[in-house]
Amino acid sequence: MKKTEVYILSGFLGSGKTTLLKRFLADERSCGRKVAVLMNELGQVSIDSNEVEEDVLLSELLGGCICCSIQDKLEAQLHGLLMKEKPEVMYIETTGAAHPVEVLDSILSPLFADQLLIKGIITTVDGTRWKNRNELSPQLQQLILEQVRNADFILINKIDELKENEQAQLIFEMQGLNPRAQCLLTSYSMVPMDRLRNLSMNVEKESSHIHLNLSTYVYQFHKPISDTSFEKFLKKLPDTIYRIKGYIKFHYSELPLLFQYAYGMPLYMKEYMNMRLNLVFIGEHVDWGIIEQQLVLLESETETV
C-alpha cells in the first residue's frame, strides 16, 4: 500500500509558513499529484485558507491548537481524508504556537499511522525576530528554540533585513542547537524544492542506523502479549522516547486496550471493539532497529500460566 507523504510546516507567527506552502502547492501542480492541506488556526476564522487553490483538498481546524484542545477533531478529519480522498501528499500548516513533538503526537493516530510517511518538519524562522528574541516572553523564547531544535529543515527568512555578519551568527546559533538539520538563508521562503523533497523522517529498516532529531516508528502486533513482559520492555526504554500510543492486547483480555505513554508514564484504557494492534512511537536519536528487535522478541514469547 502506497503511503501518503506528510510535510509539517512549523514556525512562529509571521515567519513565512503560508508563503512556503504556496511554493509547495505550485510545485505539486506541475507534478500532478493529489494534494491535501490541513490548516490549523487558533482563532475561529481562517485567514490563510484563501491562499489555497480550489483544486486542492482543504481541511481547516479552527478555534484551537492541534496539539492541545482539538486532537479528536484532527483525528476525525485526517481519517476522513485518508479513507475517502486518498491523497498522495499532505501538508499540515500548524499554528505559530504549536510544539513539533505535540503536533507529531496529534497526527499519528494508531488508526492510520501505518498509512503515513512523515517526510519531515520544516521550520520557518523570521531572522529579525530570532535576533531580537530576548524581547519576547520566556515561554515564547522557549517555543521558538524548540521549533528550531526539532526541525529537519530550517528556513531562515527575511535575510535582506540582516547584515552578513548577523546572517552568519544566525546560522551558527541554529546549527549549534540543531546540527543535523539543513539550514538555508532565504527571503520569501525561496527554496529549491528538490532539497525539501529529499527529506525523510521515517527510519526504515534498511537505514535504522541513521539518527534524525525527531523520528517516528510504527509496530504492529499480530497476537496478544504478556503484560509483565511489556512492562519490563517499557522500563528499559531510553529517555528520548517521548510518546507511545496505540492498541495492545494482553493474554488475559478479550478486547484490545488503548495504551498511551508520555514522559515515562504508561496509561491503559478499556476499548470496546477490536482495533488493529498498532503502536506508534515518537522519539529523538533512537535506534528503531533495536526497539523492533525487542518487540519481535516480546511477541514471540509464550506465556506460561
Side-chain angles (χ1 to χ4, degrees), residues 152-194:
D152 299 300
F153 199 105
I154 302 165
L155 260 66
I156 307 172
N157 264 320
K158 305 185 184 179
I159 58 161
D160 50 316
E161 300 172 13
L162 299 168
K163 298 173 185 173
E164 277 192 27
N165 64 320
E166 291 174 329
Q167 294 175 19
Q169 181 64 26
L170 260 62
I171 289 275
F172 177 77
E173 290 173 359
M174 291 187 205
Q175 292 199 320
L177 266 176
N178 186 347
R180 288 171 181 81
Q182 297 180 59
C183 237
L184 184 69
L185 291 161
T186 185
S187 289
Y188 302 103
S189 297
M190 291 288 286
V191 57
M193 282 294 131
D194 56 343

Side-chain angles (χ1 to χ4, degrees), residues 8-75:
I8 299 168
L9 309 186
S10 168
F12 198 63
L13 301 163
S15 59
K17 291 193 300 294
T18 303
T19 305
L20 177 62
L21 175 63
K22 287 170 71 176
R23 297 200 184 284
F24 264 123
L25 295 180
D27 186 59
E28 291 293 359
R29 201 164 286 115
S30 66
C31 298
R33 292 202 296 178
K34 189 170 186 178
V35 182
V37 172
L38 198 149
M39 279 187 163
N40 182 206
E41 298 279 359
L42 287 171
Q44 291 296 338
V45 178
S46 172
I47 299 166
D48 292 340
S49 61
N50 296 327
E51 306 287 351
V52 178
E53 299 288 338
E54 289 181 7
D55 60 338
V56 174
L57 300 166
L58 174 67
S59 276
E60 295 179 285
L61 287 161
L62 306 178
C65 183
I66 62 176
C67 55
C68 322
S69 54
I70 52 175
Q71 280 201 37
D72 292 346
K73 189 177 174 185
L74 168 74
E75 186 172 305

